[in-house]
């Protein structure tokens, strides 16, 4: 999905480029028309001046050169005139030895066209049909101007304008990117704040420096975080209260079992085993409540802090075994893509299972692979037979009743893994010869 900033940048840049191109085309058309009109106006003025300098004496027509502009004197000066009579052609000195091919016009008729002139340059020509009522003489007067000089000036003006427009276009595009960058800077701050929120550094978004357009969203997000945090706190307190509330009845039952041991030792031993199992379950739930009690509802599981926290807690729960927990974590991975509370429950169950079955060692590895992140937990316990590996995630299944456990931990692990699309694998550990559990985060 393309970002809003990129979309705005592309749209504004595209509109600016289209506007600039359209402006350049319109300006070129207007400049060309103005150039053409100015030449026609000049030719009309030249035509009037030459008509005033044209005299008819005794039936003869001649042009007084002294009344004409000096532009008509130098050879190939770029400004020319020619008077075509029935039996004579009068040319300006600037035409030198060249004669224009002019079609005769009837009196009062005009013609505007372009043709090749001296030096094979393009010329703009204007012709007018003349007549004399007294001598009944008809003639065609033509004035012309070389277009090469005007076109050179046109190219210079148009080129300068084009360069200025392109420079302005580059400056405006840079301004668009700069303005959008500054405008979206608060969004960057919000992204940074969300990242800190995921890492557990803060517990809410600051509303002071947030733009008014985003403040309602940030405020609603904070309210949702606060509500969720209260729900988590309430659940933790209820769990803690339940666990503490069970201690007194368990203590009373412990006394009754001890008294029963004098009368029925076998029954007392069986009841004592169940009491021990319940006691250890209560201790683990209390430990889990202590771990997740201060979690933020939007936080992700942080590496390696949360993994070490789980290991330290489980070392206390299984302190009678003195398990050595070894970590081999990729330092470039700082978070796992899973809600922190769910991640703690997921990994807590897996590590608890590893600590429960391990003899001396548990190893946790986190690496980056081509398909995603891979977290594996190995133990040096007895392992699981090949035909029983698939049964590990079946709810309530216990493969060995000699070790305390209620058989629900690994099925909960499977449910959480399926919820987040995490691939869960159970294999034999090549390093520690026990069970290896692998989690692949896609």
């Amino acid at each position: 999905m393309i970002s809003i900033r990129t979309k705005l940048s592309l749209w504004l840049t595209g509109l600016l480029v289209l506007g600039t191109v359209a402006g350049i085309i319109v300006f070129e058309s207007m400049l060309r028309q103005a150039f053409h009109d100015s030449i026609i106006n000049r030719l009309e003025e030249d035509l009037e001046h030459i008509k005033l300098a044209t005299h008819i004496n005794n039936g003869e027509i001649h042009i007084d050169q002294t009344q004409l502009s000096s532009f008509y004197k130098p050879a190939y000066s770029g400004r020319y005139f020619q008077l075509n009579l029935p039996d004579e052609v009068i040319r300006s000195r600037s035409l030198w030895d060249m004669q224009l091919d002019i079609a005769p016009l009837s009196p009062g008729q005009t013609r505007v066209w372009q043709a090749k002139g001296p030096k094979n340059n393009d010329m703009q020509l204007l012709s007018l049909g003349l007549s004399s009522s007294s001598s009944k003489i008809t003639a065609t007067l033509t004035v012309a101007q070389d277009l090469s000089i005007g076109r050179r000036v046109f190219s210079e003006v148009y080129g300068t304008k084009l360069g200025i427009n392109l420079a302005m276009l580059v400056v405006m595009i840079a301004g668009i990117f700069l303005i959008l960058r500054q405008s979206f800077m608060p969004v960057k701050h919000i992204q940074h704040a969300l990242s800190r929120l995921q890492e557990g550094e803060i517990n809410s978004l600051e509303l002071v420096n947030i733009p008014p357009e985003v403040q309602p969203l940030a405020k609603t997000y904070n309210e949702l975080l606060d509500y969720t945090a209260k729900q988590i706190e309430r659940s933790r307190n209820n769990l803690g209260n339940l666990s503490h509330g069970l201690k007194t009845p368990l203590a009373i039952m412990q006394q009754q079992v001890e008294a029963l041991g004098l009368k029925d030792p076998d029954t007392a031993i069986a009841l004592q085993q169940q009491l021990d199992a319940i006691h250890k379950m209560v201790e683990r739930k209390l430990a889990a409540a202590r771990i997740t009690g201060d979690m933020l509802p939007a936080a992700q599981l942080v590496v390696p802090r949360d993994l070490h926290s789980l290991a330290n807690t489980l070392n206390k729960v299984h302190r009678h075994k003195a398990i050595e927990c070894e970590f081999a974590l990729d330092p470039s991975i700082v978070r796992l893509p899973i809600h922190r509370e769910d991640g703690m429950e997921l990994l807590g169950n897996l590590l608890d299972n590893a600590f429960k079955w391990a003899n001396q060692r548990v190893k946790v590895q986190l690496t980056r692979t081509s398909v995603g992140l891979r977290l594996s937990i190995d133990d040096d316990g007895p392992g699981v037979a090949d035909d029983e590996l698939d049964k590990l995630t079946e709810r309530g299944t216990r493969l060995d009743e000699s070790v305390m456990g209620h058989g629900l931990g690994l099925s909960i692990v499977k449910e959480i893994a399926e919820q987040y699309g995490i691939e869960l694998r159970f294999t034999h550990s090549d390093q520690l010869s026990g069970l290896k559990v692998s989690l692949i985060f896609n």
Side-chain angles (χ1 to χ4, degrees):
M1 182 65 181
I2 189 171
S3 67
I4 297 177
R5 176 180 169 182
T6 303
K7 186 180 295 185
L8 284 175
S9 301
L10 293 177
W11 273 104
L12 291 176
T13 301
L15 291 175
L16 191 59
V17 171
L18 289 177
T20 302
V21 171
I24 290 175
I25 293 175
V26 172
F27 175 78
E28 189 270 343
S29 177
M30 294 177 62
L31 184 63
R32 191 177 297 278
Q33 185 63 41
F35 172 68
H36 178 267
D37 292 344
S38 67
I39 291 178
I40 297 300
N41 290 335
R42 175 175 290 181
L43 291 176
E44 290 175 348
E45 292 177 0
D46 290 348
L47 194 64
E48 290 297 323
H49 290 159
I50 296 174
K51 284 173 60 178
L52 293 175
T54 302
H55 302 283
I56 303 176
N57 295 320
N58 300 324
E60 295 182 356
I61 296 179
H62 73 280
I63 298 176
D64 187 358
Q65 299 285 342
T66 60
Q67 298 182 21
L68 299 179
S69 171
S70 59
F71 285 109
Y72 295 110
K73 296 180 180 179
Y76 307 133
S77 64
R79 294 175 67 176
Y80 316 102
F81 74 85
Q82 180 173 304
L83 181 62
N84 290 68
L85 298 169
D87 54 356
E88 183 184 3
V89 174
I90 301 174
R91 299 173 297 166
S92 64
R93 185 180 178 184
S94 56
L95 278 172
W96 199 244
D97 58 352
M98 183 176 180
Q99 181 173 319
L100 303 177
D101 185 15
I102 304 299
L105 301 177
S106 59
Q109 184 181 359
T110 60
R111 181 189 178 193
V112 178
W113 83 104
Q114 292 184 4
K116 293 292 182 180
K119 299 182 180 180
N120 203 34
N121 291 336
D122 290 333
M123 289 193 310
Q124 183 70 53
L125 300 96
L126 173 63
S127 296
L128 175 64
L130 301 176
S131 67
S132 173
S133 58
S134 59
S135 57
K136 298 182 180 180
I137 298 175
T138 60
T140 301
L141 177 61
T142 302
V143 290
Q145 180 169 333
D146 194 328
L147 295 177
S148 60
I149 299 176
R151 286 177 176 174
R152 185 166 60 249
V153 174
F154 173 84
S155 299
E156 292 176 355
V157 174
Y158 182 71
T160 302
K161 175 65 175 176
L162 181 62
I164 293 174
N165 284 352
L166 292 178
M168 292 178 61
L169 177 63
V170 172
V171 171
M172 286 188 288
I173 290 176
I176 287 175
F177 280 90
L178 181 61
I179 292 173
L180 289 178
R181 179 182 178 185
Q182 292 299 116
S183 301
F184 278 85
M185 194 65 70
V187 179
K188 289 289 185 182
H189 294 327
I190 294 176
Q191 290 179 343
H192 178 66
L194 289 174
S195 177
R196 294 178 61 197
L197 195 65
Q198 288 180 336
E199 294 177 3
E201 297 180 6
I202 57 176
N203 54 13
S204 64
L205 297 175
E206 296 181 0
L207 302 178
V208 179
N209 297 322
I210 295 181
E213 295 82 359
V214 189
Q215 275 193 0
L217 178 62
K219 184 177 180 181
T220 303
Y221 189 74
N222 282 343
E223 292 175 353
L224 180 61
L225 286 177
D226 183 62
Y227 173 78
T228 309
K230 289 180 179 178
Q231 290 293 102
I232 294 175
E233 178 68 19
R234 189 178 297 111
S235 299
R236 183 189 70 89
N237 291 336
N238 291 337
L239 179 61
N241 293 336
L242 176 62
S243 300
H244 283 294
L246 289 174
K247 284 189 173 182
T248 300
L250 287 175
I252 296 174
M253 293 175 65
Q254 181 70 38
Q255 294 176 0
Q256 296 296 326
V257 168
E258 292 176 356
L260 182 62
L262 300 176
K263 300 178 181 179
D264 190 350
D266 294 335
T267 303
I269 292 175
L271 291 175
Q272 185 64 51
Q273 289 177 350
Q274 298 303 317
L275 285 175
D276 291 340
I278 295 173
H279 180 73
K280 290 181 179 179
M281 288 174 58
V282 170
E283 290 296 327
R284 281 206 307 275
K285 291 302 179 181
L286 284 175
R290 288 193 297 269
I291 291 173
T292 61
D294 59 347
M295 288 183 183
L296 297 174
Q300 289 185 337
L301 193 138
V302 180
V303 179
R305 182 190 64 192
D306 291 334
L307 293 179
H308 286 302
S309 175
L310 279 173
N312 292 335
T313 302
L314 291 171
N315 274 324
K316 296 176 182 178
V317 174
H318 300 275
R319 55 185 176 273
H320 60 285
K321 299 185 66 173
I323 300 297
E324 177 187 354
C325 187
E326 177 185 352
F327 290 93
L329 309 176
D330 188 337
S332 66
I333 304 174
V334 295
R335 289 196 305 268
L336 291 180
I338 185 173
H339 189 282
R340 191 179 176 198
E341 183 179 0
D342 293 334
M344 295 294 274
E345 184 172 3
L346 172 68
L347 297 179
N349 275 291
L350 291 177
L351 282 173
D352 180 51
N353 186 74
F355 272 71
K356 186 194 316 179
W357 292 95
N359 295 321
Q360 293 180 331
R361 295 179 61 198
V362 171
K363 185 173 183 179
V364 180
Q365 292 179 290
L366 178 60
T367 57
R368 195 184 300 275
T369 65
S370 58
V371 295
L373 304 181
R374 183 188 186 96
L375 187 144
S376 60
I377 301 174
D378 298 68
D379 64 68
D380 62 349
V384 179
D386 293 336
D387 57 347
E388 295 179 334
L389 286 174
D390 295 335
K391 299 179 181 180
L392 289 177
T393 53
E394 295 179 3
R395 179 171 293 273
T397 299
R398 293 273 305 282
L399 301 183
D400 191 345
E401 299 291 342
S402 64
V403 179
M404 182 276 298
H406 48 80
L408 297 177
L410 293 182
S411 61
I412 295 174
V413 166
K414 183 179 179 181
E415 291 177 359
I416 297 176
E418 290 177 348
Q419 178 183 356
Y420 285 91
I422 302 171
E423 185 178 351
L424 181 63
R425 298 178 183 175
F426 293 92
T427 57
H428 292 289
S429 174
D430 296 331
Q431 300 182 25
L432 302 184
S433 302
L435 178 66
K436 178 177 183 178
V437 184
S438 299
L439 295 171
I440 300 176
F441 298 84
N442 298 319

